Structures are given as structure tokens and as C-alpha cells.
Amino acid sequence: MAETGNPGNGATSEAGPLVVLEGVQKHFGSLHVLRDINLNIDRGEVVVVIGPSGGGKSTLCRAINRLETIDEGRILFDGRPLPEEGRALARLRSDVGMVFQSFNLFAHKTIMENVTLGPIKVRGVAREDAEKRALELLDRVGIASQAQKYPAQLSGGQQQRAAIARALAMNPKMILFDEPTSALDPEMVQEVLDVMIELAQEGMTMMVVTHEMGFARRAANRVVFMADGQIVEENTPDEFFTNARTDRAKDFLSKILTH
Ligand SMILES: Nc1ncnc2c1ncn2[C@@H]1O[C@H](COP(=O)(O)OP(=O)(O)OP(=O)(O)O)[C@@H](O)[C@H]1O
């Protein structure tokens, strides 16, 4: 996939991990939701984050593109601390695509407008070029024929595939997926996972919060198990699913794998 480059912003560090979290702490009031998180995500790596509800997985995702601020520690993206505001923050948000459980498409814009808005407004791409690329991406996720429809006219699976096309339209360096299939009817889950598996195989750097263990087995390089705001253990999917080390992870797996 072509990179847009990073005009006027100096060289990026192509060596080293794409994301580095060091000693990250986050509270919501008295609730300690991220406790000393240390995590690197390498370029081209697919990290699946799993764990019980309320464990801090979404907050971790949101902290990486600064939808949440952190209280302590630091997060580096592409070798630099996360920007706090302005154009640099807008650039971070386009470099780090985000796909949410609830699709988050603009309801009063067509699918084509949803996909082209960012490239036109943030990246300064000409409308004609943005539309051409959007059609390619919509074709790639299997919904080119829906380009002129509004989100409510599409199935949940189609909307989520549109959301992935929208993230891809910014030529992101990474995509964060926060429970992308949790709101879908069961028959639509696989069509979205198939798009994600293809992206993973093409080398997209991804962090995926999900309960889809089949996806983790097939696509993840690493599984990170989080509970009570901490990374309890992390391992390759094979090791994690057959040889979890901690009682908490074993307990969690025994519950979800019997479903
Ligand atoms: N904006 C907020 N204000 C206050 N508390 C919050 C906020 N966002 C999340 N929390 C709380 O922080 C804790 C961690 O939430 P988070 O959504 O990160 O967990 P999670 O592991 O993603 O859970 P789930 O699997 O249920 O989505 C939860 O107790 C949640 O209620």
C-alpha cells in the first residue's frame, strides 16, 4: 500500500517499534484503569488484546491515538511522543486509524463522502483523486456498489467494512480496532474478520481488541491479556491458547472458549 509520506515533518524513525508505551498510568477519578502499561508494537505486527470487561482494553486503544490522555508514563508513535494538539494531532489521528464497535460513520453523509472526507479535508487530496481511491478501497472491502448509499441503508457488516475503508483512505501507518465485530449479527462477523485478516497478511500494523479467538489464532503475532488495568501476560497465540501461564488467563479462557 502506498505511503503518503510525511511532508515537512522531518524523517520518521523507520527502525524501532512503531508504538512504545512506557509506564503508562491512567485514572478515571478514583478508578485506576491503566496500571504501569509497558508495551511495544512492531511495524507490521498484529497484537490482539483480550481480557475481561472493564479491564482497560478500550482505554489503552484510545490512549494510542490520544482520544484519552494519560496521567503518567509516555507513549511514542513512530519514535516521537504523541502530539497534544493542532495539525500534529490531526496527523497522528490519520496515521493511526481507528475502527470502533459502533462503526461511527457520519449518518448524513454517503459512504463515498464518509471515505473521502478525511483525505480531502485533512490530507488535502483533490476530490477526484479521493473518490477514485475511495472506490478502489470500497471495492476491496466488497461494497463498491453501496458507495452512494447512506450508512443506515447498509447492513452492520457493510457499515463496518465502510469504516475500515475510511481508515485505509488516510494511508494509516497503523489501525486500532476496538471490538469491531461485537455489535454485529453473527452472520456478518466473518465478512469483517476476513477483511481484517487480509490486512494483517498484507503487513498492516494492527492492535485489535476482540473476543474473536479464531481471528487471534489466525492473524495475531501476539496476544496480550489484560485484566484490572494490567497486562497480566502476553505470548504468541499458540502458546497463549494452549499454555496460559496465569490462573487469571486460564480462568478467562475457560469461560470464553466454552461459549
Ligand atoms: N470516560 C470514562 N469515565 C469514567 N470511567 C470510564 C470511562 N471510560 C471507561 N471507564 C471505566 O474504566 C474501566 C475500563 O474501561 P475500558 O472500556 O477501557 O475497559 P474494557 O476492557 O475495554 O472493557 P469492555 O470489554 O467492557 O469494553 C471501566 O471500569 C470503565 O467503566
Side-chain angles (χ1 to χ4, degrees), residues 28 31 33 51-60 68 101 178-179 209 211:
F28 287 117
L31 193 64
V33 286
S53 183
K57 305 181 297 295
S58 284
T59 308
L60 175 68
E68 298 286 356
Q101 178 174 341
D178 190 2
E179 302 206 25
V209 177
H211 298 295

PDB file of all heavy atoms in Angstrom, residues 28 31 33 51-60 68 101 178-179 209 211, ligand 1:
ATOM      1  N   PHE A  28      -9.636   7.169  35.975  1.00  0.00           N
ATOM      2  CA  PHE A  28     -10.884   7.915  35.827  1.00  0.00           C
ATOM      3  C   PHE A  28     -11.360   8.166  37.252  1.00  0.00           C
ATOM      4  O   PHE A  28     -11.876   7.243  37.900  1.00  0.00           O
ATOM      5  CB  PHE A  28     -11.942   7.124  35.047  1.00  0.00           C
ATOM      6  CG  PHE A  28     -11.656   7.015  33.570  1.00  0.00           C
ATOM      7  CD1 PHE A  28     -11.433   5.792  32.965  1.00  0.00           C
ATOM      8  CD2 PHE A  28     -11.634   8.157  32.773  1.00  0.00           C
ATOM      9  CE1 PHE A  28     -11.187   5.705  31.602  1.00  0.00           C
ATOM     10  CE2 PHE A  28     -11.380   8.076  31.403  1.00  0.00           C
ATOM     11  CZ  PHE A  28     -11.154   6.846  30.820  1.00  0.00           C
ATOM     12  N   LEU A  31     -10.810   5.469  39.926  1.00  0.00           N
ATOM     13  CA  LEU A  31     -10.628   4.187  39.239  1.00  0.00           C
ATOM     14  C   LEU A  31      -9.288   4.180  38.480  1.00  0.00           C
ATOM     15  O   LEU A  31      -9.048   5.020  37.625  1.00  0.00           O
ATOM     16  CB  LEU A  31     -11.787   4.001  38.248  1.00  0.00           C
ATOM     17  CG  LEU A  31     -12.003   2.637  37.638  1.00  0.00           C
ATOM     18  CD1 LEU A  31     -12.371   1.611  38.710  1.00  0.00           C
ATOM     19  CD2 LEU A  31     -13.137   2.731  36.602  1.00  0.00           C
ATOM     20  N   VAL A  33      -7.392   2.725  35.798  1.00  0.00           N
ATOM     21  CA  VAL A  33      -7.745   1.881  34.645  1.00  0.00           C
ATOM     22  C   VAL A  33      -6.549   1.384  33.844  1.00  0.00           C
ATOM     23  O   VAL A  33      -6.646   0.354  33.181  1.00  0.00           O
ATOM     24  CB  VAL A  33      -8.751   2.559  33.685  1.00  0.00           C
ATOM     25  CG1 VAL A  33     -10.123   2.589  34.271  1.00  0.00           C
ATOM     26  CG2 VAL A  33      -8.304   3.915  33.262  1.00  0.00           C
ATOM     27  N   GLY A  51      -9.349  -9.859  27.250  1.00  0.00           N
ATOM     28  CA  GLY A  51      -9.452  -9.808  28.699  1.00  0.00           C
ATOM     29  C   GLY A  51     -10.860  -9.468  29.121  1.00  0.00           C
ATOM     30  O   GLY A  51     -11.686  -9.082  28.292  1.00  0.00           O
ATOM     31  N   PRO A  52     -11.125  -9.600  30.437  1.00  0.00           N
ATOM     32  CA  PRO A  52     -12.480  -9.379  30.925  1.00  0.00           C
ATOM     33  C   PRO A  52     -12.943  -7.940  30.765  1.00  0.00           C
ATOM     34  O   PRO A  52     -12.127  -7.019  30.667  1.00  0.00           O
ATOM     35  CB  PRO A  52     -12.406  -9.763  32.407  1.00  0.00           C
ATOM     36  CG  PRO A  52     -10.968  -9.909  32.729  1.00  0.00           C
ATOM     37  CD  PRO A  52     -10.194 -10.040  31.470  1.00  0.00           C
ATOM     38  N   SER A  53     -14.253  -7.777  30.734  1.00  0.00           N
ATOM     39  CA  SER A  53     -14.868  -6.467  30.603  1.00  0.00           C
ATOM     40  C   SER A  53     -14.373  -5.514  31.695  1.00  0.00           C
ATOM     41  O   SER A  53     -14.209  -5.922  32.846  1.00  0.00           O
ATOM     42  CB  SER A  53     -16.384  -6.665  30.711  1.00  0.00           C
ATOM     43  OG  SER A  53     -17.015  -5.458  30.521  1.00  0.00           O
ATOM     44  N   GLY A  54     -14.118  -4.284  31.313  1.00  0.00           N
ATOM     45  CA  GLY A  54     -13.696  -3.276  32.287  1.00  0.00           C
ATOM     46  C   GLY A  54     -12.207  -3.322  32.595  1.00  0.00           C
ATOM     47  O   GLY A  54     -11.714  -2.590  33.452  1.00  0.00           O
ATOM     48  N   GLY A  55     -11.451  -4.169  31.882  1.00  0.00           N
ATOM     49  CA  GLY A  55     -10.031  -4.336  32.184  1.00  0.00           C
ATOM     50  C   GLY A  55      -9.125  -3.238  31.660  1.00  0.00           C
ATOM     51  O   GLY A  55      -7.935  -3.205  31.956  1.00  0.00           O
ATOM     52  N   GLY A  56      -9.680  -2.338  30.827  1.00  0.00           N
ATOM     53  CA  GLY A  56      -8.884  -1.217  30.333  1.00  0.00           C
ATOM     54  C   GLY A  56      -8.481  -1.320  28.877  1.00  0.00           C
ATOM     55  O   GLY A  56      -7.712  -0.493  28.369  1.00  0.00           O
ATOM     56  N   LYS A  57      -9.035  -2.294  28.163  1.00  0.00           N
ATOM     57  CA  LYS A  57      -8.610  -2.527  26.772  1.00  0.00           C
ATOM     58  C   LYS A  57      -8.951  -1.340  25.865  1.00  0.00           C
ATOM     59  O   LYS A  57      -8.115  -0.878  25.095  1.00  0.00           O
ATOM     60  CB  LYS A  57      -9.273  -3.807  26.224  1.00  0.00           C
ATOM     61  CG  LYS A  57      -9.007  -5.042  27.088  1.00  0.00           C
ATOM     62  CD  LYS A  57      -9.647  -6.288  26.519  1.00  0.00           C
ATOM     63  CE  LYS A  57     -11.165  -6.235  26.441  1.00  0.00           C
ATOM     64  NZ  LYS A  57     -11.845  -6.153  27.758  1.00  0.00           N
ATOM     65  N   SER A  58     -10.186  -0.852  25.978  1.00  0.00           N
ATOM     66  CA  SER A  58     -10.592   0.297  25.146  1.00  0.00           C
ATOM     67  C   SER A  58      -9.771   1.531  25.488  1.00  0.00           C
ATOM     68  O   SER A  58      -9.363   2.288  24.597  1.00  0.00           O
ATOM     69  CB  SER A  58     -12.057   0.663  25.383  1.00  0.00           C
ATOM     70  OG  SER A  58     -12.879  -0.229  24.743  1.00  0.00           O
ATOM     71  N   THR A  59      -9.557   1.731  26.761  1.00  0.00           N
ATOM     72  CA  THR A  59      -8.799   2.911  27.194  1.00  0.00           C
ATOM     73  C   THR A  59      -7.383   2.861  26.621  1.00  0.00           C
ATOM     74  O   THR A  59      -6.846   3.884  26.159  1.00  0.00           O
ATOM     75  CB  THR A  59      -8.774   2.994  28.737  1.00  0.00           C
ATOM     76  OG1 THR A  59     -10.115   2.904  29.211  1.00  0.00           O
ATOM     77  CG2 THR A  59      -8.137   4.279  29.215  1.00  0.00           C
ATOM     78  N   LEU A  60      -6.809   1.674  26.616  1.00  0.00           N
ATOM     79  CA  LEU A  60      -5.460   1.506  26.048  1.00  0.00           C
ATOM     80  C   LEU A  60      -5.464   1.886  24.565  1.00  0.00           C
ATOM     81  O   LEU A  60      -4.605   2.647  24.090  1.00  0.00           O
ATOM     82  CB  LEU A  60      -5.019   0.053  26.233  1.00  0.00           C
ATOM     83  CG  LEU A  60      -3.694  -0.345  25.599  1.00  0.00           C
ATOM     84  CD1 LEU A  60      -2.539   0.348  26.306  1.00  0.00           C
ATOM     85  CD2 LEU A  60      -3.492  -1.860  25.644  1.00  0.00           C
ATOM     86  N   GLU A  68      -7.816   9.527  24.555  1.00  0.00           N
ATOM     87  CA  GLU A  68      -7.700   9.676  26.012  1.00  0.00           C
ATOM     88  C   GLU A  68      -6.297  10.172  26.328  1.00  0.00           C
ATOM     89  O   GLU A  68      -5.346   9.727  25.682  1.00  0.00           O
ATOM     90  CB  GLU A  68      -7.880   8.327  26.736  1.00  0.00           C
ATOM     91  CG  GLU A  68      -9.210   7.653  26.566  1.00  0.00           C
ATOM     92  CD  GLU A  68     -10.330   8.320  27.347  1.00  0.00           C
ATOM     93  OE1 GLU A  68     -10.069   9.293  28.098  1.00  0.00           O
ATOM     94  OE2 GLU A  68     -11.475   7.875  27.168  1.00  0.00           O
ATOM     95  N   GLN A 101     -16.426  -0.248  17.675  1.00  0.00           N
ATOM     96  CA  GLN A 101     -17.532  -1.214  17.740  1.00  0.00           C
ATOM     97  C   GLN A 101     -18.780  -0.682  17.021  1.00  0.00           C
ATOM     98  O   GLN A 101     -19.482  -1.403  16.329  1.00  0.00           O
ATOM     99  CB  GLN A 101     -17.837  -1.466  19.213  1.00  0.00           C
ATOM    100  CG  GLN A 101     -18.974  -2.402  19.474  1.00  0.00           C
ATOM    101  CD  GLN A 101     -19.107  -2.704  20.967  1.00  0.00           C
ATOM    102  OE1 GLN A 101     -18.179  -2.505  21.749  1.00  0.00           O
ATOM    103  NE2 GLN A 101     -20.259  -3.197  21.346  1.00  0.00           N
ATOM    104  N   ASP A 178     -11.299  -1.533  17.925  1.00  0.00           N
ATOM    105  CA  ASP A 178     -11.850  -1.714  19.271  1.00  0.00           C
ATOM    106  C   ASP A 178     -13.160  -2.500  19.178  1.00  0.00           C
ATOM    107  O   ASP A 178     -14.208  -1.940  18.896  1.00  0.00           O
ATOM    108  CB  ASP A 178     -12.082  -0.357  19.937  1.00  0.00           C
ATOM    109  CG  ASP A 178     -12.407  -0.509  21.416  1.00  0.00           C
ATOM    110  OD1 ASP A 178     -12.411  -1.656  21.910  1.00  0.00           O
ATOM    111  OD2 ASP A 178     -12.672   0.515  22.068  1.00  0.00           O
ATOM    112  N   GLU A 179     -13.071  -3.779  19.409  1.00  0.00           N
ATOM    113  CA  GLU A 179     -14.221  -4.694  19.320  1.00  0.00           C
ATOM    114  C   GLU A 179     -15.027  -4.473  18.032  1.00  0.00           C
ATOM    115  O   GLU A 179     -16.228  -4.192  18.084  1.00  0.00           O
ATOM    116  CB  GLU A 179     -15.102  -4.553  20.559  1.00  0.00           C
ATOM    117  CG  GLU A 179     -14.314  -4.830  21.827  1.00  0.00           C
ATOM    118  CD  GLU A 179     -15.182  -5.317  22.972  1.00  0.00           C
ATOM    119  OE1 GLU A 179     -16.246  -5.877  22.712  1.00  0.00           O
ATOM    120  OE2 GLU A 179     -14.761  -5.132  24.123  1.00  0.00           O
ATOM    121  N   VAL A 209      -8.659  -5.144  19.729  1.00  0.00           N
ATOM    122  CA  VAL A 209      -9.354  -5.605  20.934  1.00  0.00           C
ATOM    123  C   VAL A 209     -10.522  -6.443  20.449  1.00  0.00           C
ATOM    124  O   VAL A 209     -11.375  -5.944  19.704  1.00  0.00           O
ATOM    125  CB  VAL A 209      -9.873  -4.414  21.768  1.00  0.00           C
ATOM    126  CG1 VAL A 209     -10.653  -4.914  22.974  1.00  0.00           C
ATOM    127  CG2 VAL A 209      -8.725  -3.510  22.199  1.00  0.00           C
ATOM    128  N   HIS A 211     -12.984 -10.370  21.092  1.00  0.00           N
ATOM    129  CA  HIS A 211     -13.225 -11.667  21.740  1.00  0.00           C
ATOM    130  C   HIS A 211     -13.208 -12.783  20.701  1.00  0.00           C
ATOM    131  O   HIS A 211     -13.558 -13.915  21.008  1.00  0.00           O
ATOM    132  CB  HIS A 211     -14.567 -11.643  22.471  1.00  0.00           C
ATOM    133  CG  HIS A 211     -14.609 -10.625  23.564  1.00  0.00           C
ATOM    134  ND1 HIS A 211     -13.816 -10.708  24.685  1.00  0.00           N
ATOM    135  CD2 HIS A 211     -15.311  -9.484  23.694  1.00  0.00           C
ATOM    136  CE1 HIS A 211     -14.044  -9.655  25.461  1.00  0.00           C
ATOM    137  NE2 HIS A 211     -14.940  -8.892  24.877  1.00  0.00           N
TER     138      HIS A 211
HETATM  139  N1  LIG B   1     -14.727   8.182  30.258  1.00  0.00           N
HETATM  140  C1  LIG B   1     -14.787   7.391  31.332  1.00  0.00           C
HETATM  141  N2  LIG B   1     -15.112   7.904  32.543  1.00  0.00           N
HETATM  142  C2  LIG B   1     -15.149   7.123  33.638  1.00  0.00           C
HETATM  143  N3  LIG B   1     -14.887   5.798  33.644  1.00  0.00           N
HETATM  144  C3  LIG B   1     -14.563   5.246  32.477  1.00  0.00           C
HETATM  145  C4  LIG B   1     -14.500   5.992  31.255  1.00  0.00           C
HETATM  146  N4  LIG B   1     -14.155   5.155  30.250  1.00  0.00           N
HETATM  147  C5  LIG B   1     -14.014   3.944  30.810  1.00  0.00           C
HETATM  148  N5  LIG B   1     -14.260   3.986  32.144  1.00  0.00           N
HETATM  149  C6  LIG B   1     -14.138   2.854  33.074  1.00  0.00           C
HETATM  150  O1  LIG B   1     -12.805   2.397  33.010  1.00  0.00           O
HETATM  151  C7  LIG B   1     -12.757   0.985  33.118  1.00  0.00           C
HETATM  152  C8  LIG B   1     -12.021   0.433  31.922  1.00  0.00           C
HETATM  153  O2  LIG B   1     -12.858   0.633  30.781  1.00  0.00           O
HETATM  154  P1  LIG B   1     -12.463   0.114  29.328  1.00  0.00           P
HETATM  155  O3  LIG B   1     -13.615   0.437  28.453  1.00  0.00           O
HETATM  156  O4  LIG B   1     -11.125   0.618  28.975  1.00  0.00           O
HETATM  157  O5  LIG B   1     -12.386  -1.461  29.578  1.00  0.00           O
HETATM  158  P2  LIG B   1     -12.508  -2.649  28.529  1.00  0.00           P
HETATM  159  O6  LIG B   1     -11.526  -3.675  28.965  1.00  0.00           O
HETATM  160  O7  LIG B   1     -12.391  -2.124  27.162  1.00  0.00           O
HETATM  161  O8  LIG B   1     -13.993  -3.160  28.794  1.00  0.00           O
HETATM  162  P3  LIG B   1     -15.082  -3.754  27.753  1.00  0.00           P
HETATM  163  O9  LIG B   1     -14.563  -5.089  27.288  1.00  0.00           O
HETATM  164  O10 LIG B   1     -16.301  -3.891  28.611  1.00  0.00           O
HETATM  165  O11 LIG B   1     -15.238  -2.756  26.660  1.00  0.00           O
HETATM  166  C9  LIG B   1     -14.198   0.516  33.245  1.00  0.00           C
HETATM  167  O12 LIG B   1     -14.478   0.327  34.612  1.00  0.00           O
HETATM  168  C10 LIG B   1     -14.991   1.665  32.678  1.00  0.00           C
HETATM  169  O13 LIG B   1     -16.286   1.731  33.260  1.00  0.00           O
END
